[in-house]
Amino acid sequence: MHLRIFTEPQQGASYDTQLAIAKATEELGFDAFFRSDHYLKMGEASGLPGPTDAWITLAGLARETSRIRLGTLVSPATFRLPGPLAIQVAQVDLMSGGRVELGLGTGWFGDEHTAYGIPFPDKRFDLLEEQLAIVTGLWDTPEGETYSFQGKAYQLENSPALPKPAQRPHPPIIVGGGGPKRTPRLAAQYADEFNVGFRPLQETIDGFERVRAAASELGRDPGSIVYSVASTTVVGRNDAEVARRTEASGVPRDWLRTNGYAGSPAEVVDTLGRFAQAGATRVYLQIQDMTDLDHLELIAAEVAPQLS
């Protein structure tokens, strides 16, 4: 099972804070550094010094790291037009030497759209489906040819479909969620990875099975898709350390025990082992306190070796 570090910078993190945890992620042997793509804090956090743009941040990290994968979990389809998004992600992929992955979703947080003047339509699944088609279509168009698309939300005419990303045929696409019909179909059609986040084991198993069934219906090998999970992570050497990190996470202890990855290293290994048995080969460890690099060191030393 590959362990990835997943952060929520909108809760309050400068670029320098994100750089420090990304470098620790790399030095400690984790597989990847991912971040959310939000423009507004949630809950009681201060949010200071203010939001940082996900793809501008990842562009900087692309030049200041050398091994780890980099990506979003997930970028809302509402934030960016699909043509410019394809350019941005391709450019960051080139800047990183081919280490970028794009998580793309519908967007759900209405308040951040209102706060920054971003349209937030009711029917966002159609936007997501067209964006997935356009981004992959632009990347997959052979050099020297053009790409056109006629959809309800977006129309492209004779695009040169440039630049091309470093990875071919294109950077991995991540689709996630718990929807019973459209999400599995979109994952089966476009995704290299399907992610179920913040859900208990049985709901995760059900989500994986729906995607496997949708892939089979489309004639795709279900085994060609990576299945992953994500949730808030709190690991401590003793009860006091677990309690301190739980409080810092801002997540209720009962919820964390049911839906997160929390407890001693042995307890977290046991929890993640059950998800591995369900088919997850990748896990995103959501770390809320990005200044607590000792937390990463503990996970790297006492959790990761037992899941490799």
Side-chain angles (χ1 to χ4, degrees), residues 61-72:
L61 298 179
R63 306 302 290 180
E64 299 196 73
T65 58
S66 61
R67 179 190 59 80
I68 50 173
R69 307 288 295 176
L70 300 165
T72 53

Side-chain angles (χ1 to χ4, degrees), residues 169-191:
H170 54 244
I173 299 288
I174 304 167
V175 171
K181 295 181 179 180
R182 295 190 71 176
T183 296
R185 179 178 62 79
L186 290 181
Q189 185 172 358
Y190 293 106

Side-chain angles (χ1 to χ4, degrees), residues 255-298:
W255 184 95
L256 195 58
R257 286 290 186 182
T258 303
N259 300 285
Y261 317 134
S264 68
E267 289 175 313
V268 172
V269 168
D270 183 62
T271 298
L272 294 178
R274 290 195 291 271
F275 284 98
Q277 290 176 349
T281 59
R282 189 173 288 166
V283 57
Y284 295 82
L285 305 174
Q286 186 198 56
I287 303 297
Q288 293 283 12
D289 184 356
M290 285 185 279
T291 65
D292 185 3
L293 300 184
D294 289 342
H295 195 187
L296 269 64
E297 292 178 6
L298 175 61

Side-chain angles (χ1 to χ4, degrees), residues 82 125-135 147 149-155 190:
F125 247 104
D126 292 340
L127 296 184
L128 174 61
E129 184 163 9
E130 290 192 18
Q131 289 213 1
L132 287 165
I134 291 167
V135 169
Y147 175 79
F149 179 89
Q150 292 297 318
K152 293 181 180 179
Y154 308 107
Q155 298 82 41
Y190 293 106

Side-chain angles (χ1 to χ4, degrees), residues 159-228:
S159 171
L162 296 171
K164 299 301 181 193
Q167 298 175 87
R168 297 301 176 92
H170 54 244
I173 299 288
I174 304 167
V175 171
K181 295 181 179 180
R182 295 190 71 176
T183 296
R185 179 178 62 79
L186 290 181
Q189 185 172 358
Y190 293 106
D192 300 279
E193 175 180 336
F194 175 67
N195 178 267
V196 177
F198 309 95
R199 303 293 176 92
L201 181 61
Q202 189 56 54
E203 289 184 31
T204 300
I205 293 171
D206 294 343
F208 287 174
E209 287 304 314
R210 285 192 291 266
V211 170
R212 292 189 182 103
S216 296
E217 289 175 6
L218 291 175
R220 179 180 179 182
D221 176 9
S224 67
I225 300 171
V226 172
Y227 299 89
S228 66

Side-chain angles (χ1 to χ4, degrees), residues 1 3 28 30 265 269 297-308:
M1 179 176 264
L3 272 57
L28 292 169
F30 292 101
V269 168
E297 292 178 6
L298 175 61
I299 296 169
E302 300 190 28
V303 175
Q306 299 185 65
L307 294 168
S308 60

